[in-house]
Amino acid sequence: MENRIIEIDPNCINEFDRLKNNYKIESVFLKLNDNFNFLYVEKILSQTSHDDFLESIPVDQPRLIIYKKQSNNKIIFIRWIPEIVQDTIEYSYTNASTAIFELLIGINKYMEVKDLIELSNL
């Protein structure tokens, strides 16, 4: 399978910087468009409970999530790929995570997650 060029919306970096610099942002959800060639900010969560954060993750669709753990301000990059996702879509999100991860300075931990249970103890 060939590598696709993934264009990254500058807002992805801007919102990461806001999260990193304590603008009351707790998580940034990134999504690929329908052609799997453009990564953009889908939503931002502020001052939510951990349960609300977990409920905001789509159970059947992949996402790249930047999460700030409030107890210690550690920033976690999460590549959420549910088991039911097709291989071609997983591959696209893997390429996108590689592309964006190189631009995000200040990530403390990287997680590849296929089951929400893995996120229950963040």
Side-chain angles (χ1 to χ4, degrees):
M1 187 175 285
E2 69 182 60
N3 275 343
R4 288 184 135 179
I5 302 287
I6 306 286
E7 183 180 350
I8 299 171
D9 183 338
N11 282 333
C12 296
I13 308 302
N14 294 341
E15 294 302 335
F16 168 74
D17 286 339
R18 290 181 65 217
L19 176 141
K20 185 170 75 171
N21 293 314
N22 295 318
Y23 282 93
K24 297 184 181 179
I25 297 173
E26 294 175 359
S27 54
V28 179
F29 284 70
L30 307 177
K31 182 180 179 182
L32 284 171
N33 67 350
D34 292 339
N35 293 325
F36 301 104
N37 62 358
F38 184 74
L39 187 67
Y40 64 95
V41 174
E42 177 191 32
K43 64 182 163 185
I44 297 166
L45 299 181
S46 299
Q47 300 177 330
T48 58
S49 70
H50 187 67
D51 288 341
D52 289 340
F53 165 72
L54 292 176
E55 288 176 12
S56 67
I57 299 172
V59 295
D60 59 347
Q61 298 175 16
R63 292 293 184 275
L64 303 178
I65 305 166
I66 305 163
Y67 177 78
K68 187 176 198 177
K69 191 170 183 178
Q70 295 304 307
S71 63
N72 60 12
N73 284 334
K74 298 290 184 187
I75 300 173
I76 303 167
F77 184 90
I78 301 165
R79 185 168 64 93
W80 164 247
I81 310 287
E83 290 286 343
I84 62 170
V85 170
Q86 297 172 359
D87 288 344
T88 54
I89 296 173
E90 180 175 356
Y91 184 78
S92 294
Y93 271 87
T94 298
N95 284 342
S97 68
T98 300
I100 188 76
F101 189 77
E102 294 173 357
L103 301 174
L104 303 178
I105 307 302
I107 299 289
N108 301 106
K109 184 177 181 178
Y110 180 92
M111 296 178 70
E112 295 179 11
V113 179
K114 292 188 176 279
D115 190 325
L116 283 176
I117 293 173
E118 297 173 62
L119 297 176
S120 61
N121 294 322
L122 275 181

